[in-house]
Amino acid sequence: MSVKNITSSSELDNLIRSAGKVIVQYFNPAQPDEENSVSLFELYSMDTDITFARLNPQKVQDAAQRAGFARFPAFEAYHNGAKVDQYVPHSAIGANSQNDPPLYAFIERLRDRA
């Protein structure tokens, strides 16, 4: 399984419908790409039951507007096609650190769903 880079809202919709558990990261396009992916790749390596996707809200604006986040990075969790959770860190730094307990708790809540 790999981390998917989403380039359209239809691609995102198809992924959400077809994968059981999905986490979407709306990353902050003002930050370097490597920093945006650090936490997501670490979380991906913890569990192969979850499909991870990244989305640049400036390039896939309709999906970002639909999500309704006021700042990025932000994360959404889907289970069997339905949104079940979301997480927006207090700062961009928090979402990119190895020690972001709320982000790990967010992942654990999705992982624990049957």
Side-chain angles (χ1 to χ4, degrees):
M1 209 178 273
S2 63
V3 176
K4 301 184 182 303
N5 289 304
I6 301 298
T7 58
S8 71
S9 59
S10 61
E11 183 181 10
L12 176 62
D13 293 342
N14 288 336
L15 177 65
I16 290 167
R17 278 193 306 269
S18 65
K21 296 177 183 178
V22 179
I23 290 185
V24 180
Q25 178 191 28
Y26 296 81
F27 64 88
N28 184 345
Q31 292 182 344
D33 194 44
E34 293 77 18
E35 289 180 30
N36 287 311
S37 62
V38 169
S39 64
L40 191 56
F41 285 100
E42 287 174 337
L43 295 171
Y44 166 73
S45 68
M46 291 175 12
D47 194 335
T48 57
D49 186 35
I50 298 173
T51 300
F52 290 89
R54 299 180 69 237
L55 185 150
N56 180 335
Q58 290 183 349
K59 293 184 178 178
V60 191
Q61 293 179 359
D62 52 343
Q65 288 174 348
R66 187 174 60 201
F69 294 114
R71 65 173 188 230
F72 304 101
F75 300 84
E76 289 182 317
Y78 292 87
H79 186 231
N80 294 330
K83 182 176 173 180
V84 295
D85 204 355
Q86 69 181 32
Y87 171 63
V88 181
H90 294 293
S91 73
I93 305 284
N96 293 320
S97 82
Q98 293 179 359
N99 299 315
D100 185 6
L103 184 57
Y104 285 101
F106 169 78
I107 298 297
E108 290 296 322
R109 287 192 300 271
L110 182 61
R111 179 189 295 188
D112 292 343
R113 286 183 165 271

